[in-house]
Amino acid sequence: GLLGILEKYKSCAPSLESLVDALPPLLPRMYSVTNSPLRTPNNIQVAFSVVQYVSEGGFLRRGVATNWLDSNFGPGKASDSHSLSIFLKGGGHFRLPEDVTAPLIMIGPGTGVAPFRGFLQHRAEQAKKEQKQPGEMWLFYGCRRRNEDYLYGSEFESMHDDGIVKLVVAFSREQEHKVYVQDRMLEHQKALYDLICKRGAHIFVCGDGAKMAKDVHACMEKILCEGGMSPADASSKLSALTKEGKYIRDIWS
C-alpha cells in the first residue's frame, strides 16, 4: 500500500497537504445487521473482525474502520463522548421469505454468518406471532477454531438444542486437514437434495466471494448431480432458483 511505499522509499516525502489532496475519501463500510427488529426493536447489532496484521516489511497494520470502531465502541468502551453516523442500506432480495413455513438453507463462513443470527431470531418471533411451526432451517457455519472466531457460537448451539435450527459447523483449523462448509454440506447431501428439489427450500450464501462462494456453488451442483441430475440440469436448476429468488448470495471480495 501507499504507507509501505513511503516507508520503503524515504526520498518520497510529499507534504501532508499534498497527500490529503491526492487520496480519495474513505468508502463507507457495510456491515450486516445481526439482530431482528422483532426481538430487539430499539437497537442495531453488527459483527466484524478487527483487522490487524504484520506487513512484509515487519510493520503492524490495522484496519481503519474496524480498529476505530473497536477502540471507541467495543465492549466496555462506548461512552457519551463518541457518536457514530450510520445509514441503512437495503439488502435487496437477501431477506427472509414471507412464508414462515418455507425451509431455509443458510451458508455463512466467518462474519458471513452475521445476518443469519437475525434471520433465526426473526423466524422464531414471526412463528410465535403467527402461531405457526417454522419451516426446517439449516445453518452451515465455518470458522477457524472454536476458541478463536466462533461468532455467536453458544447462541447458535442453544438454538440447535431447542430445535430451531440444524447447526452444522466446520472448524477449518481444529484438525490436521482443513474442513470447510462445503465439506460439511456433502455430509448431508441427501437432506439438502430433498430440501432443494422436493421441498422448495430458499438458499442463502453470505461471505467471501473470491473463493468460498464459488466452492459452495460447485458443491451444490455436485449434490444435485449425486441426486440424479446431469451437470447441465444441475446448473440450470441453480440458475432457475436464482431467477425465482430462492438462491440468493451476499458476497464480497
Side-chain angles (χ1 to χ4, degrees), residues 3 8-9 27 44 77 112 133 148-149 176 247 250:
L3 184 58
K8 185 173 182 179
Y9 301 100
L27 295 175
I44 292 175
K77 300 173 185 175
Q133 179 67 30
E148 180 179 334
D149 55 349
E176 290 186 8
Y247 175 28
D250 181 9

Side-chain angles (χ1 to χ4, degrees), residues 1-3 6 14-27 64:
L2 176 60
L3 184 58
L6 295 175
S15 67
L16 180 59
E17 290 181 354
S18 299
L19 276 177
V20 171
D21 287 339
L23 292 173
L26 286 173
L27 295 175
V64 176

Side-chain angles (χ1 to χ4, degrees), residues 4 34 55 65 97 101 131 145 149 153 156 171 175 190 193 232 235 237:
T34 69
S55 69
T101 65
Q131 296 184 332
R145 296 179 182 86
D149 55 349
F156 287 135
F171 295 108
Q175 56 283 310
K190 186 181 184 303
Y193 180 88
S235 179
K237 175 67 174 178

Side-chain angles (χ1 to χ4, degrees), residues 84-206:
L84 178 65
S85 298
I86 64 171
F87 65 94
L88 290 176
K89 182 178 183 296
H93 296 293
F94 197 88
R95 62 178 64 191
L96 283 169
E98 291 185 7
D99 182 5
V100 73
T101 65
L104 304 181
I105 300 170
M106 298 165 284
I107 305 156
T111 53
V113 80
F116 300 134
R117 175 178 179 254
F119 275 26
L120 292 169
Q121 288 182 358
H122 203 81
R123 259 291 173 89
E125 296 299 323
Q126 187 182 14
K128 189 187 304 180
K129 182 179 180 181
E130 297 179 13
Q131 296 184 332
K132 293 180 178 179
Q133 179 67 30
E136 187 173 337
M137 296 181 285
W138 288 68
L139 174 59
F140 290 89
Y141 180 7
C143 59
R144 295 172 66 88
R145 296 179 182 86
R146 186 182 299 272
N147 61 355
E148 180 179 334
D149 55 349
Y150 190 27
L151 294 173
Y152 304 118
S154 59
E155 188 172 344
F156 287 135
E157 288 178 359
S158 294
M159 292 181 182
H160 174 83
D161 293 340
D162 291 341
I164 296 172
V165 65
K166 294 186 178 180
L167 175 67
V168 183
V169 186
F171 295 108
S172 64
R173 304 301 196 275
E174 286 197 352
Q175 56 283 310
E176 290 186 8
H177 63 285
K178 295 178 182 177
V179 177
Y180 298 110
V181 286
Q182 57 268 27
D183 300 310
R184 294 293 187 230
M185 290 171 66
L186 289 174
E187 294 173 0
H188 300 276
Q189 58 182 308
K190 186 181 184 303
L192 293 180
Y193 180 88
D194 289 343
L195 283 166
I196 295 169
C197 296
K198 298 179 181 179
R199 298 174 58 192
H202 292 247
I203 307 165
F204 296 91
V205 181
C206 186

Side-chain angles (χ1 to χ4, degrees), residues 210-228:
K211 191 172 189 304
M212 179 279 297
K214 297 175 184 176
D215 291 342
V216 166
H217 186 87
C219 177
M220 287 195 291
E221 287 186 333
K222 183 176 181 178
I223 288 171
L224 296 181
C225 289
E226 291 289 335

